Amino acid sequence: MDKEPIVLCGASTYEQKFYFNPEFSGLPKQIQDELKVVCVIFTSQISSVFTLEFDEEGNLDFVVRPNDDFAFDDIGSALKIKELQREKRELWEELELYYKVFFLGMKIEEIEG
């Protein structure tokens, strides 16, 4: 049985809110702020609910839920995600490493080996 993904953070155009999972409060404030900026800007450009979620293996997924919004841009959404993945690749890799070590209990040797 697949485990539910763990939401790191997210934002909603519809509710104009940002959510940060308190389980990740150990992340430096600068990283938390950067995640907030990424999520809020994404939803301001692409009308949707946008979340960053860890799957059961510790991979970070970019999840977009348009909520049947006529303003939702499916192509723009995919392009924006690719841009984020490319521009902030190091941040995403570090977050995955953090999750795998502190939440999944993996050893760095297991991850890098």
Side-chain angles (χ1 to χ4, degrees), residues 23-100:
E23 291 183 48
F24 295 93
S25 62
L27 286 170
K29 180 83 168 102
Q30 178 183 355
I31 302 253
Q32 293 180 35
D33 291 343
E34 187 171 357
L35 291 169
K36 181 176 185 176
V37 168
V38 165
C39 290
V40 170
I41 288 175
F42 185 96
T43 58
S44 72
Q45 294 175 344
I46 309 292
S47 185
S48 64
V49 174
F50 175 67
T51 55
L52 296 173
E53 303 176 2
F54 290 103
D55 65 19
E56 63 188 45
E57 296 172 2
N59 300 308
L60 189 61
D61 295 324
F62 298 71
V63 181
V64 180
R65 295 177 186 89
N67 204 22
D68 296 326
D69 188 342
F70 71 92
F72 178 71
D73 180 359
D74 192 34
I75 295 170
S77 171
L79 292 172
K80 184 68 178 169
I81 287 173
K82 287 183 188 283
E83 178 185 332
L84 281 173
Q85 289 172 326
R86 184 181 63 250
E87 289 180 357
K88 300 201 176 285
R89 182 179 53 84
E90 189 174 318
L91 172 63
W92 310 135
E93 289 173 356
E94 290 172 355
L95 287 168
E96 287 179 346
L97 180 63
Y98 175 86
Y99 184 80
K100 289 174 182 178

